[in-house]
């Protein structure tokens, strides 16, 4: 038995929106006689998607892969156009979009209606950002961080002539959002700010930073394709040696040499059973 101390981030793991999506998907798989599909992975965690597959939930790459049955809308949301397309094809829809993401979509739509140019701080190709863009008539500007915000000035978009409304992808860090806001504040005639970063994400980020300060090593557990998990790794890395793993088997024992305290965290798409498995391996 190891004498190393393990400090687990209290809120690490599935958030409310992901739990809800999982429950709805599993309920559908049990009750529906027809095939149950998700468009793309239900959540960004390969191990959970594997489990869902075992329960009969099929991951379709596009609508062309679906002949009939039930389509589960992911927690990240879908653009309204895609929603209409799914409905018009006659598929039964199970709406597992997180209410917090819906709120961001509504705010983006509202900003455009009020005559604001909409700026989203987030990752261009993330499904959530695409779903937000889809709710806005016309163009939206997506910036990943301060460097891209600076480029907006260079591109001569003349933002200072415009009213700009700014929102964030729910999994952004407050630091990144603030930096972009600061740049645009100087550049715009009017700036309306909605901090749409999800509280669940913010809590995990803050707690992870606190734990990182107390330990010799930080393990971030979760899908390598999960944006919010990867961000936790980036946040903790400057503070203490940090590794991003999906499975306990990925722990390299040389990492633990001389390590007395280990911090454990995981993204909002990381199941608790996977976090427990990592803790078990460390204890053994
Ligand atoms: S991270 Fe927040 S916004 Fe995203 S699914 Fe979870 S609860 Fe919803």
């Amino acid at each position: 038995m190891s004498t190393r101390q393990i400090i687990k981030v209290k809120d690490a793991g599935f958030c409310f929106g992901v739990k809800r999506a999982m429950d709805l998907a599993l309920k559908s798989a049990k009750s529906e006689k027809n095939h149950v599909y998700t468009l793309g992975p239900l959540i960004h965690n390969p191990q959970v998607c594997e489990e869902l597959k075992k329960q009969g939930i099929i991951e379709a790459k596009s609508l062309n892969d679906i002949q009939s049955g039930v389509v589960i809308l992911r927690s990240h949301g879908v653009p309204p156009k895609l929603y209409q397309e799914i409905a018009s094809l006659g598929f039964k829809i199970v709406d597992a979009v997180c209410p917090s993401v819906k709120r961001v979509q509504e705010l983006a739509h509202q900003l455009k209606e009020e005559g604001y140019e909409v700026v989203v701080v987030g990752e261009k190709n993330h499904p959530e950002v695409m779903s937000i863009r889809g709710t806005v008539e016309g163009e939206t500007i997506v910036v990943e961080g301060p460097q891209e915000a600076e480029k907006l000035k260079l591109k001569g978009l003349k933002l200072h002539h415009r009213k700009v409304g700014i929102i964030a992808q729910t999994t952004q860090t407050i630091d990144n959002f603030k930096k972009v806001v600061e740049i645009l504040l100087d550049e715009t005639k009017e700036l309306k700010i909605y901090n749409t970063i999800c509280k669940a994400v913010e809590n995990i980020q803050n707690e992870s930073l606190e734990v990182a300060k107390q330990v010799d090593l930080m393990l971030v557990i979760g899908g390598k394709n999960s944006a919010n998990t990867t961000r936790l790794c980036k946040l903790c890395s400057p503070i203490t040696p940090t590794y991003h793993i999906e499975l306990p088997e990925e722990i390299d024992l040389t990492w633990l040499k001389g390590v007395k305290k280990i911090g454990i965290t995981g993204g909002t798409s990381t199941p608790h059973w996977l976090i427990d498995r990592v803790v078990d391996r460390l204890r053994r």
Side-chain angles (χ1 to χ4, degrees):
M1 186 69 74
S2 163
T3 53
R4 287 189 192 97
Q5 191 186 348
I6 297 168
I7 307 178
K8 215 163 80 171
V9 166
K10 187 167 58 64
D11 286 328
F14 278 4
C15 60
F16 150 78
V18 167
K19 263 188 223 145
R20 184 175 166 272
M22 286 289 293
D23 288 349
L24 284 168
L26 291 171
K27 221 165 109 190
S28 301
K30 261 194 188 153
S31 62
E32 293 291 341
K33 292 199 171 57
N34 225 327
H35 291 307
V36 177
Y37 294 91
T38 58
L39 269 178
L42 182 68
I43 62 168
H44 288 147
N45 185 282
Q47 289 72 36
V48 173
C49 289
E50 207 41 53
E51 286 302 313
L52 290 170
K53 199 166 146 191
K54 286 182 196 157
Q55 303 297 322
I57 296 163
I58 308 159
E59 186 185 315
K61 292 218 166 12
S62 78
L63 276 180
N64 295 334
D65 299 337
I66 307 174
Q67 308 308 323
S68 65
V70 180
V71 177
I72 298 166
L73 305 185
R74 303 186 289 174
S75 51
H76 311 297
V78 291
K81 225 170 158 185
L82 180 59
Y83 183 98
Q84 281 148 19
E85 202 183 337
I86 300 169
S88 71
L89 288 168
F91 301 127
K92 180 175 171 185
I93 294 175
V94 173
D95 187 350
V97 180
C98 176
S100 301
V101 173
K102 280 191 180 165
R103 182 178 162 263
V104 189
Q105 291 177 325
E106 280 158 19
L107 288 174
H109 178 76
Q110 182 193 314
L111 282 168
K112 196 71 175 186
E113 293 282 290
E114 291 170 355
Y116 290 90
E117 198 72 47
V118 180
V119 173
V120 185
V121 182
E123 287 132 282
K124 284 183 190 73
N125 296 322
H126 193 280
E128 182 191 317
V129 174
M130 293 201 269
S131 81
I132 296 166
R133 295 182 85 179
T135 57
V136 177
E137 286 283 331
E139 209 204 342
T140 39
I141 300 168
V142 182
V143 289
E144 296 211 352
Q147 280 170 346
E148 287 193 7
E150 287 286 357
K151 279 190 204 152
L152 287 182
K153 289 201 267 180
L154 300 176
K155 275 186 191 160
L157 277 175
K158 294 192 179 67
L159 289 174
H160 51 282
H161 291 321
R162 308 189 194 175
K163 287 164 63 174
V164 171
I166 185 165
I167 52 173
Q169 180 185 353
T170 53
T171 52
Q172 284 292 303
T173 62
I174 190 71
D175 195 41
N176 193 45
F177 186 59
K178 274 185 186 167
K179 281 181 184 152
V180 175
V181 166
E182 209 173 302
I183 291 167
L184 295 188
L185 208 53
D186 287 338
E187 288 300 307
T188 49
K189 187 176 114 194
E190 186 187 328
L191 186 65
K192 194 163 187 175
I193 307 158
Y194 284 118
N195 175 5
T196 49
I197 296 170
C198 170
K199 267 280 156 231
V201 173
E202 218 179 329
N203 287 346
I204 299 180
Q205 288 173 351
N206 291 339
E207 288 171 28
S208 299
L209 282 172
E210 278 313 306
V211 170
K213 285 177 201 158
Q214 302 166 40
V215 298
D216 311 305
L217 174 81
M218 199 71 191
L219 292 179
V220 180
I221 308 155
K224 300 261 163 77
N225 57 343
S226 157
N228 80 87
T229 310
T230 312
R231 210 162 285 125
L232 287 175
C233 203
K234 277 194 192 140
L235 274 176
C236 298
S237 293
I239 302 172
T240 193
T242 303
Y243 295 97
H244 182 172
I245 56 170
E246 283 187 359
L247 293 165
E249 293 75 25
E250 289 171 45
I251 298 171
D252 182 335
L253 296 182
T254 60
W255 300 344
L256 309 181
K257 224 175 156 195
V259 165
K260 291 206 167 54
K261 284 186 188 176
I262 305 172
I264 300 280
T265 189
T268 54
S269 52
T270 306
H272 292 99
W273 57 262
L274 211 44
I275 298 176
D276 291 344
R277 274 185 55 196
V278 171
V279 173
D280 275 356
R281 170 143 201 237
L282 289 170
R283 292 224 166 99
R284 272 187 280 120

